Amino acid sequence: MSHNIAYSTADKADVLAYLGSKGDLTPDRQRRLGGMRKDARAHQEALDHQGVDWGLSIPDALDHLIAGRTDADAECAGNAYHSALQHIIDHNASDPSHLGTYAKPSTFFGLVDDEMRRLGVPADLLPHGYLYGGLPEGFPYLPSSIDGYPAIGHLPLAKAKPAADAYRAVLDRMDPDFRYDVRELIEKLEFEHGEWEYAAKNIDWYTQDTLFFKLT
């Protein structure tokens, strides 16, 4: 089974504002919450149609997150919580972009990490570390998804350019089997850095600070 990796940019504070809010939100956030609930219901209907039962529905998981709890004891509750949180991210982030589709992304990027580590790329910039690094500091604990998917990773936008520079510096010395995918990652990180740098300087209301990765 293949897995897709997508990403978008957001202000992590905008996402955190919903978690444990108990619905005490600004009118704009209330409007966004309505959209999240609609998408959560549609997502659940698709799972129901496929005969997938996680023991906790995505709409209920979303309600739990808004209430500030992640204590459902269903075996697959982590799948529902990750899906619900992704809907919160999606309604507070840029349009998603596609990074790639991989048969075994954790294995592949684990090998990329090994190669980059051998070539001197700093540990905090290795891609497996942020693709599978979970949520930013300050976010609540989420039970793990069964089989590891869906999953959420993150990278501060301030690290996008340092990561791209570090990868580009070693690209020609990497195993050829990794170069195409790493080059794609470099180009995407450089693009997001450029967008972030421009917006931070020229758009007064712009506060996005995080790349969120969605692994499904």
Side-chain angles (χ1 to χ4, degrees):
M1 179 180 179
S2 295
H3 296 283
N4 293 309
I5 304 178
Y7 62 93
S8 56
T9 59
D11 182 339
K12 63 180 182 291
D14 288 340
V15 179
L16 268 173
Y18 292 84
L19 307 182
S21 67
K22 298 180 173 59
D24 184 14
L25 299 164
T26 65
D28 179 63
R29 286 176 173 156
Q30 287 282 3
R31 178 185 59 79
R32 292 173 189 256
L33 180 56
M36 296 170 204
R37 294 192 191 282
K38 180 180 179 181
D39 287 353
R41 289 193 296 270
H43 192 168
Q44 186 61 46
E45 288 172 3
L47 292 178
D48 293 343
H49 182 73
Q50 297 167 40
V52 176
D53 182 5
W54 286 338
L56 174 69
S57 74
I58 298 173
D60 285 347
L62 179 58
D63 286 341
H64 286 197
L65 294 177
I66 300 303
R69 49 178 290 221
T70 57
D71 57 355
D73 58 5
E75 182 180 6
C76 298
N79 295 54
Y81 284 131
H82 277 82
S83 297
L85 182 55
Q86 187 62 56
H87 286 300
I88 296 176
I89 293 170
D90 289 346
H91 280 267
N92 287 278
S94 63
D95 291 338
S97 298
H98 184 66
L99 178 61
T101 300
Y102 300 88
K104 296 180 179 180
S106 182
T107 299
F108 177 79
F109 282 103
L111 293 172
V112 170
D113 274 17
D114 290 342
E115 180 79 343
M116 288 186 173
R117 190 180 293 109
R118 179 182 70 82
L119 294 169
V121 174
D124 66 326
L125 299 179
L126 297 174
H128 189 283
Y130 55 80
L131 292 174
Y132 288 87
L135 296 161
E137 184 177 352
F139 277 66
Y141 163 79
L142 295 187
S144 298
S145 300
I146 296 298
D147 297 327
Y149 299 91
I152 299 170
H154 80 280
L155 178 71
L157 276 164
K159 287 189 174 183
K161 184 65 160 55
D165 288 346
Y167 304 166
R168 194 174 287 286
V170 301
L171 184 63
D172 290 344
R173 291 181 284 142
M174 293 189 71
D175 185 318
D177 289 342
F178 301 139
R179 289 179 190 166
Y180 174 82
D181 295 274
V182 172
R183 187 178 293 110
E184 288 287 299
L185 182 56
I186 290 169
E187 291 175 359
K188 288 174 170 60
L189 290 174
E190 288 177 338
F191 176 81
E192 293 301 334
H193 167 78
E195 293 289 292
W196 174 65
E197 187 175 52
Y198 174 85
K201 290 179 179 177
N202 296 285
I203 303 175
D204 290 343
W205 52 262
Y206 184 88
T207 59
Q208 293 186 355
D209 56 12
T210 304
L211 272 165
F212 284 98
F213 294 90
K214 174 184 180 180
L215 299 93
T216 56

